[in-house]
Amino acid sequence: SGSQLQEYRAHRYLGNNIQTAGNHAGALPHLQRARALAVEIYGEGHRSSLTVAGSLAISQARLGMNAEADARIEAALASAE
């Protein structure tokens, strides 16, 4: 729906901007929500879902959540094939 798409975009932009400012902990909830919405709206393998997954993995890795980041990238790669 239109409101879901607006929410996705808002969380994606907020998460990316907060991440760019170096606040990975602050970016994490926005990127997680954007990822969930992207999958719901577009599906797992869509470029928007994959892009947000990559951003989420970057913040996870920067926060020392390496297992989660690796799993996120592996899942994104598998769904892109």
Side-chain angles (χ1 to χ4, degrees):
S1 75
S3 64
Q4 223 179 12
L5 184 58
Q6 288 177 339
E7 183 184 355
Y8 155 72
R9 288 178 177 157
H11 281 289
R12 186 184 75 194
Y13 292 138
L14 277 170
N16 286 337
N17 286 334
I18 293 168
Q19 183 183 62
T20 299
N23 182 355
H24 294 282
L28 204 60
H30 294 290
L31 294 173
Q32 288 169 328
R33 182 65 181 146
R35 167 80 173 115
L37 287 165
V39 169
E40 205 172 305
I41 295 166
Y42 300 114
E44 280 287 337
H46 189 274
R47 67 177 178 260
S48 293
S49 301
L50 298 171
T51 300
V52 176
S55 296
L56 180 54
I58 289 169
S59 282
Q60 288 173 323
R62 295 289 168 100
L63 292 169
M65 302 167 66
N66 296 319
E68 293 91 335
D70 288 347
R72 174 83 48 211
I73 293 298
E74 290 296 326
L77 289 171
S79 67
E81 293 177 349

